[in-house]
Amino acid sequence: MRSYALLLVLAGCMALGIAWWSEHVLGTVPCELCLMERWPYRIVIGLGVLAAVLPRSGARVALWLCVPVLLSGGVLSFVHVGVEQGWWISPFPSCRAPVFHGGTFAERLASMPRHPAKPCDAATYLVPGLPLSMAAMDGIYALLLILPVHLALRHGRVRAMFRDRGQKTIR
């Protein structure tokens, strides 16, 4: 079970590493939804570390908690892809152009953000020719990470079942 937990830690670090690389090396600017999509991986890293150090029963609980966290990551990605495709508007006001009411031109300029935010409907494509935006790939990745969690929990259950059978035959 510990190996699966460490695999989740590595997978979460890899997702955050790719986001960091695309931002700091490739120069892509993340939008508010992009930044929100990083939180499930941070939480999975923490839960994976907990699962690696806790006893078996605590590790199972930590791994079970990874499932709704990864599902929420998939949902966030789906929301982001919907915004990119124009199916709905972003739930975050920072993803839309600011609206200025009244005041002088100087007051309007003073109220503008220091650095313009990237709109959430501007998709970022890392792989040329692949019609999957970074948000879509993130959602697929988050949902695929549920598989190792399922395998870890199933592996632990099968192992316990064999262990219980062995104890019954010994008595």
Side-chain angles (χ1 to χ4, degrees):
M1 195 164 307
R2 293 193 201 301
S3 59
Y4 291 109
L6 293 174
L7 176 69
L8 280 175
V9 171
L10 180 65
C13 288
M14 192 169 88
L16 293 176
I18 290 171
W20 181 90
W21 175 75
S22 71
E23 184 178 341
H24 295 284
V25 175
L26 296 180
T28 57
V29 177
C31 68
E32 187 70 25
L33 279 169
C34 294
L35 296 174
M36 286 298 295
E37 287 177 61
R38 296 176 188 181
W39 276 103
Y41 297 110
R42 292 178 181 128
I43 296 168
V44 163
I45 290 169
L47 289 171
V49 169
L50 275 175
V53 299
L54 288 174
R56 182 171 302 278
S57 61
R60 288 182 63 79
V61 171
L63 287 175
W64 270 113
L65 289 174
C66 287
V67 173
V69 170
L70 290 169
L71 284 173
S72 70
V75 168
L76 276 171
S77 297
F78 179 72
V79 168
H80 195 172
V81 169
V83 171
E84 290 174 348
Q85 298 300 318
W87 299 336
W88 46 73
I89 61 169
S90 174
F92 297 110
S94 59
C95 289
R96 288 174 253 144
V99 178
F100 302 107
H101 299 284
T104 66
F105 185 71
E107 290 172 338
R108 289 181 185 180
L109 284 176
S111 66
M112 289 180 70
R114 181 169 283 222
H115 299 287
K118 177 186 174 206
C120 294
D121 60 355
T124 300
Y125 296 95
L126 282 184
V127 182
L130 187 66
L132 291 173
S133 68
M134 202 164 166
M137 289 190 291
D138 175 54
I140 293 168
Y141 185 72
L143 295 176
L144 284 177
L145 281 182
I146 294 173
L147 182 64
V149 174
H150 171 71
L151 290 174
L153 295 170
R154 182 180 170 97
H155 182 256
R157 188 173 54 231
V158 169
R159 222 171 170 193
M161 186 174 65
F162 280 118
R163 188 178 61 235
D164 292 343
R165 283 186 186 168
Q167 290 174 352
K168 289 179 183 174
T169 57
I170 292 174
R171 290 182 181 177

